[in-house]
Amino acid sequence: MAKTTFEKTRDMLIEKEIITVQTKANMKFYLPSNNYESKSQNLVERNTTNSFHDLKLQIKRLNTDFPHKDIDEKINTVNSLLRNLLETDNGFTILDAAKNPKKTLYRDEHLTIQQLIHSVFEIMRNDRDSEILFPAITSYLGSILPKNSLK
C-alpha cells in the first residue's frame, strides 16, 4: 500500500514537473526540477485564466438555464459559481503579488469578476425563488468570507 501511494505521488510530481528523473546506470534519481517557481507560476496563471473564461461562459448561460432548475440545483449552482469566482479572483491576486506587489496587473480581470458576481446576484433577484435563494446563499457566503477576528 505504501509503495502504491509513493508511486502515485511520484508520478504526480513528475507530471507537474516538480521533480525530474535522472538515470545513472541502473539507478533512478529524483531531483527538484530547475526553475520550479516560474513553472508553478505559469501553472497558476494558466489554471486561473482558464477558470476565468469558463466562468464567464457559465454565467452567460445561467441567464437562460437558471429559471428551469429546481431550488436545490439553483442553490448548488449559485454557491459553486460564487466559490469559483472568489477562488479565481484569489488566483489573480496571488499572481499580482508574485509578479509585481506594487501594481495591480489584473485590474480588468478583478473588475470583470466583480461584475460577474453582480450578475449572479441579479439573476437571483429576478428569479421566482429569490425569497428562498437569498437566505441560503447568504448563509453559504458567511462560511467562506472573513470572520471578525477581534473577538
Side-chain angles (χ1 to χ4, degrees), residues 84-100:
N84 291 337
L85 284 164
L86 293 172
E87 287 173 355
T88 302
D89 198 46
N90 288 343
F92 286 124
T93 301
I94 288 169
L95 290 168
D96 277 336
K99 289 181 175 184
N100 188 350

Side-chain angles (χ1 to χ4, degrees), residues 71-72 74-75 124 127-139:
I71 189 69
D72 290 330
K74 289 177 181 180
I75 291 170
M124 283 189 341
D127 191 76
R128 68 179 186 275
D129 297 320
S130 64
E131 291 177 9
I132 299 169
L133 286 170
F134 270 96
I137 302 308
T138 305
S139 170

Side-chain angles (χ1 to χ4, degrees), residues 19-131:
I19 62 173
T20 57
V21 182
Q22 282 188 352
T23 306
K24 291 184 181 177
N26 63 349
M27 298 181 290
K28 288 184 179 179
F29 296 96
Y30 300 98
L31 305 167
S33 65
N34 296 334
N35 67 353
Y36 173 70
E37 185 178 348
S38 67
K39 286 182 181 179
S40 66
Q41 187 172 325
N42 289 341
L43 181 66
V44 170
E45 188 165 19
R46 185 172 53 248
N47 289 345
T48 301
T49 303
N50 289 344
S51 176
F52 177 68
H53 292 297
D54 184 49
L55 286 166
K56 287 195 308 188
L57 292 173
Q58 285 180 34
I59 292 171
K60 187 181 266 188
R61 283 193 307 259
L62 191 65
N63 277 321
T64 57
D65 297 345
F66 200 70
H68 306 293
K69 296 179 182 291
D70 69 16
I71 189 69
D72 290 330
E73 284 180 299
K74 289 177 181 180
I75 291 170
N76 288 335
T77 300
V78 170
N79 283 340
S80 175
L81 283 170
L82 290 174
R83 183 186 69 244
N84 291 337
L85 284 164
L86 293 172
E87 287 173 355
T88 302
D89 198 46
N90 288 343
F92 286 124
T93 301
I94 288 169
L95 290 168
D96 277 336
K99 289 181 175 184
N100 188 350
K102 296 182 184 209
K103 245 180 131 174
T104 304
L105 302 172
Y106 294 96
R107 179 174 288 131
D108 294 340
E109 287 82 353
H110 289 297
L111 180 60
T112 302
I113 288 172
Q114 180 179 335
Q115 293 166 346
L116 291 171
I117 291 170
H118 178 77
S119 296
V120 170
F121 279 111
E122 280 301 308
I123 291 168
M124 283 189 341
R125 264 187 209 102
N126 296 328
D127 191 76
R128 68 179 186 275
D129 297 320
S130 64
E131 291 177 9

